[in-house]
Amino acid sequence: SRVRRMTARKAESKIMTRPAILAERERLRAAGKKVVFTNGCFDIVHAGHASTMNFARAQGDVLIVGLNSDASVRRLNKGPDRPINALADRMALVAALEAVSLVTWFDDDTPLALIFQLLKENDRYQGETVTNRRSDAVTQRWLDEINQPKPERKMRHGRKK
């Protein structure tokens, strides 16, 4: 099947512009595939990220991952030297993960516009089913979480933790 072949694709072919990924999303929808989406900076990829990707992929047929652009990462106040890895490198690494089907990026502070473009009813975002694009409780909870004040990060080995 096409979805199974996606996991065997070369990592570079999994990386798509927003118009290309939206077109691919429509093809997947027409084929009856359940799409799962997650997002993040993925600047310093660790085992927890891989575990999250595996969990997300298990929620559907196709996992799309959206990465914050370099400018978006800088605006998130992750530290003066962030991102450590440029967007192209971060996307290549995430695309190399077996659980990941497709990768794209967004320049906004949040992935909300991308989520609304990609996900339709019965798709999944961070493990929960999208039921209504306009009044989605999952999206509201996510917005509440990101708007919480973050504690100051402590220095570890000369870098912010």
Side-chain angles (χ1 to χ4, degrees):
S1 88
R2 179 171 170 79
V3 173
R4 288 212 185 277
R5 285 193 309 260
M6 290 178 114
T7 60
R9 291 164 65 163
K10 291 189 182 253
E12 310 85 55
S13 70
K14 294 180 182 181
I15 300 169
M16 297 185 171
T17 63
R18 188 168 304 187
I21 212 157
L22 292 174
E24 183 66 13
R25 173 62 185 104
E26 291 307 312
R27 283 189 285 282
L28 293 166
R29 181 177 291 115
K33 302 302 177 189
K34 183 182 266 188
V35 171
V36 178
F37 176 83
T38 194
N39 61 275
C41 299
F42 304 107
D43 190 19
I44 304 170
V45 178
H46 52 75
H49 288 127
S51 177
T52 298
M53 301 293 181
N54 289 333
F55 172 81
R57 177 60 181 262
Q59 306 305 304
D61 302 310
V62 177
L63 173 59
I64 298 175
V65 180
L67 277 77
N68 295 71
S69 69
D70 293 344
S72 176
V73 172
R74 282 190 288 278
R75 289 191 304 270
L76 291 175
N77 294 323
K78 288 198 166 265
D81 298 329
R82 299 292 288 276
I84 293 168
N85 296 297
L87 177 62
D89 294 332
R90 292 184 286 123
M91 288 192 303
L93 183 58
V94 169
L97 297 173
E98 184 178 348
V100 175
S101 306
L102 299 168
V103 176
T104 193
W105 67 94
F106 57 95
D107 194 41
D108 302 315
D109 290 340
T110 72
L112 199 54
L114 178 59
I115 291 168
F116 284 156
Q117 286 183 310
L118 277 175
L119 299 184
K120 306 296 183 196
E121 199 153 331
N122 296 320
D123 287 339
R124 299 185 62 85
Y125 174 64
Q126 295 188 346
E128 301 200 34
T129 303
V130 173
T131 56
N132 181 318
R133 286 178 26 166
R134 300 207 185 277
S135 62
D136 181 18
V138 174
T139 302
Q140 186 58 53
R141 188 168 58 247
W142 175 78
L143 287 171
D144 290 345
E145 286 175 19
I146 65 165
N147 288 322
Q148 292 294 316
K150 293 183 181 175
E152 182 63 27
R153 296 172 187 219
K154 297 189 181 200
M155 298 293 280
R156 183 175 81 172
H157 303 295
R159 297 174 66 130
K160 283 191 175 183
K161 187 173 163 187

